[in-house]
Amino acid sequence: MIQVEGISKEYKQFTRSPGIIGSMKNLLSREHTLLKAVNEISFSIEKGEAVGYLGPNGAGKSTMIKMLTGILVPTSGTITVNNLVPHKHRKEIAKKVGIVFGQRSQLWWDLPVEDSFELHRRIYNIQDIDYRKNMNIFLELLNLKEFITQPVRQLSLGQRMRAEIGLALLHNPDIVFLDEPTIGLDVIAKDNIRSFIKQMNRERKVSILLTSHDLKDIEEICPRMLIVNKGELIFDGTVDHLKSSLSSGKIITIEFASNPGEYVALENAELIADQGIRKTFKIDKGLDSAIDFVQSVSKRYPIKDFILQDSDIEDIIRRYYRSLEDDNNNELTKQERLSVI
Amino acid sequence: MMMRAHYAIMCKAFSRNTAYRSEVWLRIFGNISIVFIQISIWKALLGTGTLKGIDIGAMITYSLINMSVSMILMSKVIYVVDDKLKTGNITSDLLKPISYPLLLFFDQLGNVVFQIIFTVVPTIIISWLLFGLSFPREPYAIAAFVASLLLALLISFFLGYLIALVSFWFLTTFALDWMITALITVFSGSFLPLWFFSAEWKFIADMLPFQFLGFVPAAIYMEKMDGSEIIWMMGKGSMWVLLLWCATKLLWWRAIKRLEIQGG
Amino acid sequence: MNIRLFSYFIKLIIKSRMEYRGAFMIGAVGQILGYAANYLVIWLLLQNFDTINGWNWTEIAFLYSLNILTYAIGASFTYSPMVGLDQTIINGDFDKYLTKPLSPFTYYLASLFNIGYIAHIVISVFVLLWSISQVDMGWTAVKIIYLFLAVISGSFLQAAALVVIGSLSFTFLRVQYLFSILFKIKEFIAYPISIYGTLLQLILTWIIPLAMINYYPSLYLFDESILTNKLLGIVALVIGPLAFYLSYKLWMRGANKYQGAGG
C-alpha cells in the first residue's frame, strides 16, 4: 500500500532580509544552509495496517505526511502509495486518501456541517448510494445527527473533530492520515474518536497513519509504531517490542517487615517513593534482573510483599523524548522554524 | 515622565516601520506615478493657458503638496483600533497609565515621522527635479503652512479615530473607511482644487472639515491666501479639532460602557 | 474543477456572507459611495473644462466604468486569494489546497471567491449603461458582442495582474506592497492614455497592457472606422485571456516551487 524507500527531504534555508528589495538582493547572492527534515527513511505499510508515527516536535513528522500525500516533493528516495508516486499523481492519490489535520479545519466556519459534507460529495464525485450509506453510518457512529444542521462556529471542539473525521472518510479512502486528531479534546471525545477510527480500520480495512502527542491514541489504535527523531527513523516495530527494547524499566514496590531506614544505595535501582516500610524503586533492566533485585534485597532485609509493574508506555516515550530534546535543543528550534515554510 | 512615555511610543512606531524600509523605493515610485498622472491630466486640460489664475506650474506644485500631505494623514488609524478590538489587545492598552487616544496619536506620529523622512522628502526631491516645484517666499506663509499641517494631522487623526469608535457598533470598519475616503476624495480637494468647484459644491466643501486635509495647506503654501484669510481658516480648523475631539470623547465613553458589558 | 462545482462553491460563499447580512449591506453602500465620489470628482473637473483631450464627460464615464466593471469581475475571482496568499503560505494553510483531487489554482480561487464586488458591479454597470444612452455609438450587433467580449477580456486582464503579484508570494516573503503599487499604476487608465507621452503610451499598450482593459475597447466602440482603433480593439479581446493564461502558468510554477519540485 505504502512503500517508502530512502526518503530524504532537505530544505534550503536562505539567509534573507525581509521585503521585496531584500529578497531581490538575496536572489543575487544565494547563501543558504541545508537542513535535513527527513533523512533516509524507509518503511512500508500494508493494506489495513494501523501505524503510529511518533517523534518530538520538528522531527519531520508532518514533512513525511506531506510527502506521502504529494503536497511536498522529496529531495531523494522513492515513495509509492497505491503504486503511484504521490507528487506526480497528486490528484489520483487524493481520491484514495483522507486527511485530518487536527489544527486545520476543512469545515466551513459559518455554514451548517451538512454543507461541508455536500461540498465534499461534489469534490470527490461520490455516488449517491455510497454517500447516503456513509452518511447514515457517520450520523450514528460519530453522532453527527445531533449537530449536522448547526453552523460549525457553534460546535464544540469534539463535535468539530468528529465532523472532520467523517469528512476525511466520506469518499471511502484506502488510507487515512491523521495528524493530531485528538488534540485539545476531553477524555470522552477522545474515546469516541478512537473507537470510531478503530472500527473503520477493522471493518473497512482502511490503512491508518497516525501522529499524536497522546500516546493513548497510538496504543489503542496502532499495533505498530514508527518513531522518528531529527529526521531519522529510530524505531519500527510493535508497541510490545518497544516496551522491551527501548527501556523496559520496571517499577518495584517492596513492603518491608520493618523500616530499613535511610536506604543504602543498591546498584541499578532508583528510589522513587519512600513511605517508610513501603518503598518504590525503578530499575532500568528487564524482568530477570527485577527478580534478582528483589532476591538480593530480601537477603538483607526481611520483606513482606512486593509488586512488580511495567512503567507505562507513555512514561517510557516521554523520558525518551526528553533525553533527545535536551541533547538537540538548538537543532530543534531551527527545524521548527523551518516547518513553517 | 509622561512626555518620555509618549516619545518612547513614537520611537517604537518609527522603528516598527524600519522593517519595511526596503519597500520605501516602491512607495516613492508609486507616489511619483500618481503625481505624474495628475500633472499629465492638468497639462492636457490647461495646456499653456490658465483657469481662474491657475496655470500648469501652479497645478504641479498643488499636486505635489497634496500628495505629500496625503502621505502624513492619520485617518488610517481606524485599522489600528480595529485590529486591537479583534485581537482583544485593546484591554491591555486601556490598562496603561496613558490616555488611549494620546497613545494612538503618538503611535501614528511615529509612522508620520518615518513617512516624512523616507517617503515624502525623497518624493518631493525627485518630483522637484522631474517636474519642477515653486516655494513660498513670505516667511508668514511658511509658518502658516506648518501650522496647517499640524491641523491636518489632528483633524485626520480625530476623523479616523471617530470612525473607529463608530465601528464599535457596526461589524465592519472597511465600509466606514470607504465612506470617509470617499468624502476625503471629493472635499479635501486633493485632486481637484476647491477653486474649480462650482458655488454650491464649494459651499458644501466649506461646511466640512475635509478641506483641511489637502486644499488648505496647499493653498497656504502657494500663497493663495492672504493674512486675514489664513487666520480665519486656522480658527475654523481649530474649531473642527475641538468639535471632533468632543465627539470622540462622547463616543469613547459610550464604547467603554459597551466594552464593559461585553466583558472586554 | 467544472463550472457546476465552482458555482456550488459560490453558493456556499453567498450563504456564508448572508450570515452577516448587515455588515454586507453596509459594505456595499460604502463601496458605492466610494466610487460615486470618484465619478463626482471627474464630473466636477469636467464642469470646468468640458473635455480631456477631446473626451467629454460621458465618454470618460464610459471609459472609467469599463475599468471598474472589469476590475470588479476579475477581482471577485482573484483579489482575496491573491492578497491573502503570502499569509496563507506562512501559516501553513496552503497545504489544504493540495489535498484534494482538484487543481490547487481553481480550488484556491473557488474557496475564496469574493461576492463583495457586487457593489462595484452595480455602480459601474449603472454608469456604463447611462453613458451608453448618452453617447451615440451607432450600436450594431457586432458592437454589442464586442462590448460583451471586451468586458470578459478586460476582466481576465485585471485578474491576471493580481495573479502575477500573488504568485510572487511563493518566492518572496511579503508582497503586500506590490498590490498597492499595482493600484497606483492602474490609476493611469482612469483617464484616456492619450494625455501621456508616446513612450508611456507604448508601455501601457504593449509592456503593461493596461490600456487594453478600457482605452482601446472604448476607441473601437466610439469610432471603429479608424484602422488602428479596429486593430487594437481586436488585440484587446485576445490579450486578456492570454495574459490570464500566462499568469496561471506563473502561479502554478510558484506552487510547484512551494512543493519543492526542482525549485
Short mmCIF file of all heavy atoms in Angstrom, two decimals, chain B residues 28-46:
data_model
loop_
_atom_site.label_atom_id
_atom_site.label_comp_id
_atom_site.label_asym_id
_atom_site.label_seq_id
_atom_site.Cartn_x
_atom_site.Cartn_y
_atom_site.Cartn_z
N ILE B 28 7.91 55.29 -3.07
CA ILE B 28 8.24 56.55 -3.73
C ILE B 28 7.86 56.48 -5.21
O ILE B 28 7.26 57.39 -5.77
CB ILE B 28 9.75 56.86 -3.57
CG1 ILE B 28 10.06 57.12 -2.10
CG2 ILE B 28 10.16 58.05 -4.43
CD1 ILE B 28 11.53 57.13 -1.77
N PHE B 29 8.17 55.35 -5.81
CA PHE B 29 7.82 55.15 -7.23
C PHE B 29 6.32 55.30 -7.44
O PHE B 29 5.86 55.97 -8.36
CB PHE B 29 8.30 53.77 -7.70
CG PHE B 29 7.82 53.39 -9.06
CD1 PHE B 29 8.37 53.97 -10.19
CD2 PHE B 29 6.79 52.46 -9.21
CE1 PHE B 29 7.91 53.63 -11.45
CE2 PHE B 29 6.33 52.12 -10.47
CZ PHE B 29 6.89 52.70 -11.59
N GLY B 30 5.54 54.66 -6.55
CA GLY B 30 4.08 54.76 -6.63
C GLY B 30 3.61 56.20 -6.52
O GLY B 30 2.76 56.65 -7.31
N ASN B 31 4.17 56.93 -5.56
CA ASN B 31 3.77 58.33 -5.37
C ASN B 31 4.07 59.18 -6.59
O ASN B 31 3.26 60.00 -7.01
CB ASN B 31 4.49 58.92 -4.16
CG ASN B 31 3.94 58.37 -2.87
OD1 ASN B 31 2.88 57.77 -2.87
ND2 ASN B 31 4.66 58.56 -1.79
N ILE B 32 5.28 58.98 -7.13
CA ILE B 32 5.67 59.80 -8.28
C ILE B 32 4.77 59.48 -9.47
O ILE B 32 4.40 60.36 -10.24
CB ILE B 32 7.17 59.61 -8.59
CG1 ILE B 32 7.96 60.26 -7.45
CG2 ILE B 32 7.54 60.25 -9.92
CD1 ILE B 32 9.43 60.06 -7.51
N SER B 33 4.38 58.20 -9.58
CA SER B 33 3.43 57.84 -10.65
C SER B 33 2.15 58.63 -10.52
O SER B 33 1.64 59.17 -11.51
CB SER B 33 3.10 56.35 -10.60
OG SER B 33 4.25 55.58 -10.73
N ILE B 34 1.63 58.67 -9.29
CA ILE B 34 0.37 59.39 -9.09
C ILE B 34 0.53 60.87 -9.41
O ILE B 34 -0.30 61.47 -10.11
CB ILE B 34 -0.12 59.22 -7.63
CG1 ILE B 34 -0.47 57.75 -7.36
CG2 ILE B 34 -1.29 60.12 -7.33
CD1 ILE B 34 -1.70 57.24 -8.08
N VAL B 35 1.62 61.48 -8.94
CA VAL B 35 1.86 62.89 -9.24
C VAL B 35 1.95 63.08 -10.75
O VAL B 35 1.36 64.01 -11.33
CB VAL B 35 3.16 63.40 -8.55
CG1 VAL B 35 3.52 64.79 -9.02
CG2 VAL B 35 2.98 63.38 -7.04
N PHE B 36 2.66 62.16 -11.39
CA PHE B 36 2.83 62.26 -12.84
C PHE B 36 1.49 62.19 -13.57
O PHE B 36 1.22 62.95 -14.51
CB PHE B 36 3.75 61.13 -13.32
CG PHE B 36 3.90 61.10 -14.80
CD1 PHE B 36 4.74 62.01 -15.45
CD2 PHE B 36 3.19 60.19 -15.57
CE1 PHE B 36 4.86 61.99 -16.83
CE2 PHE B 36 3.32 60.16 -16.95
CZ PHE B 36 4.15 61.07 -17.58
N ILE B 37 0.62 61.26 -13.12
CA ILE B 37 -0.70 61.13 -13.75
C ILE B 37 -1.46 62.44 -13.63
O ILE B 37 -2.03 62.95 -14.60
CB ILE B 37 -1.50 59.98 -13.10
CG1 ILE B 37 -0.86 58.63 -13.44
CG2 ILE B 37 -2.96 59.99 -13.58
CD1 ILE B 37 -1.39 57.47 -12.63
N GLN B 38 -1.43 63.01 -12.42
CA GLN B 38 -2.18 64.24 -12.20
C GLN B 38 -1.63 65.38 -13.05
O GLN B 38 -2.39 66.14 -13.66
CB GLN B 38 -2.14 64.61 -10.72
CG GLN B 38 -2.88 63.56 -9.88
CD GLN B 38 -3.03 63.96 -8.44
OE1 GLN B 38 -2.52 64.98 -8.01
NE2 GLN B 38 -3.74 63.16 -7.67
N ILE B 39 -0.30 65.44 -13.12
CA ILE B 39 0.30 66.51 -13.93
C ILE B 39 -0.08 66.34 -15.40
O ILE B 39 -0.40 67.31 -16.08
CB ILE B 39 1.83 66.51 -13.73
CG1 ILE B 39 2.17 66.96 -12.31
CG2 ILE B 39 2.51 67.42 -14.75
CD1 ILE B 39 3.63 66.85 -11.95
N SER B 40 -0.09 65.09 -15.86
CA SER B 40 -0.46 64.83 -17.25
C SER B 40 -1.87 65.31 -17.54
O SER B 40 -2.14 65.89 -18.61
CB SER B 40 -0.36 63.34 -17.57
OG SER B 40 0.94 62.87 -17.36
N ILE B 41 -2.76 65.05 -16.58
CA ILE B 41 -4.15 65.50 -16.78
C ILE B 41 -4.20 67.02 -16.86
O ILE B 41 -4.84 67.58 -17.75
CB ILE B 41 -5.04 64.99 -15.63
CG1 ILE B 41 -5.12 63.47 -15.68
CG2 ILE B 41 -6.43 65.59 -15.72
CD1 ILE B 41 -5.59 62.86 -14.38
N TRP B 42 -3.51 67.66 -15.93
CA TRP B 42 -3.56 69.13 -15.92
C TRP B 42 -2.91 69.71 -17.15
O TRP B 42 -3.36 70.73 -17.68
CB TRP B 42 -2.92 69.69 -14.64
CG TRP B 42 -3.75 69.39 -13.43
CD1 TRP B 42 -3.42 68.60 -12.38
CD2 TRP B 42 -5.08 69.85 -13.17
NE1 TRP B 42 -4.46 68.53 -11.48
CE2 TRP B 42 -5.49 69.29 -11.95
CE3 TRP B 42 -5.98 70.68 -13.87
CZ2 TRP B 42 -6.73 69.53 -11.39
CZ3 TRP B 42 -7.22 70.91 -13.30
CH2 TRP B 42 -7.60 70.34 -12.09
N LYS B 43 -1.87 69.05 -17.65
CA LYS B 43 -1.25 69.53 -18.90
C LYS B 43 -2.25 69.43 -20.04
O LYS B 43 -2.38 70.35 -20.85
CB LYS B 43 -0.02 68.68 -19.23
CG LYS B 43 1.25 69.25 -18.62
CD LYS B 43 2.50 68.62 -19.24
CE LYS B 43 3.73 69.20 -18.59
NZ LYS B 43 4.74 68.17 -18.30
N ALA B 44 -2.97 68.31 -20.07
CA ALA B 44 -3.96 68.12 -21.14
C ALA B 44 -5.07 69.16 -21.02
O ALA B 44 -5.60 69.65 -22.02
CB ALA B 44 -4.54 66.72 -21.08
N LEU B 45 -5.44 69.50 -19.79
CA LEU B 45 -6.55 70.42 -19.58
C LEU B 45 -6.15 71.87 -19.75
O LEU B 45 -6.84 72.65 -20.40
CB LEU B 45 -7.14 70.22 -18.17
CG LEU B 45 -7.86 68.89 -17.93
CD1 LEU B 45 -8.19 68.73 -16.47
CD2 LEU B 45 -9.13 68.82 -18.78
N LEU B 46 -5.04 72.24 -19.13
CA LEU B 46 -4.67 73.65 -19.10
C LEU B 46 -3.79 74.04 -20.28
O LEU B 46 -3.85 75.18 -20.75
CB LEU B 46 -3.93 73.98 -17.80
CG LEU B 46 -4.76 73.98 -16.52
CD1 LEU B 46 -3.87 73.94 -15.30
CD2 LEU B 46 -5.69 75.19 -16.47
#
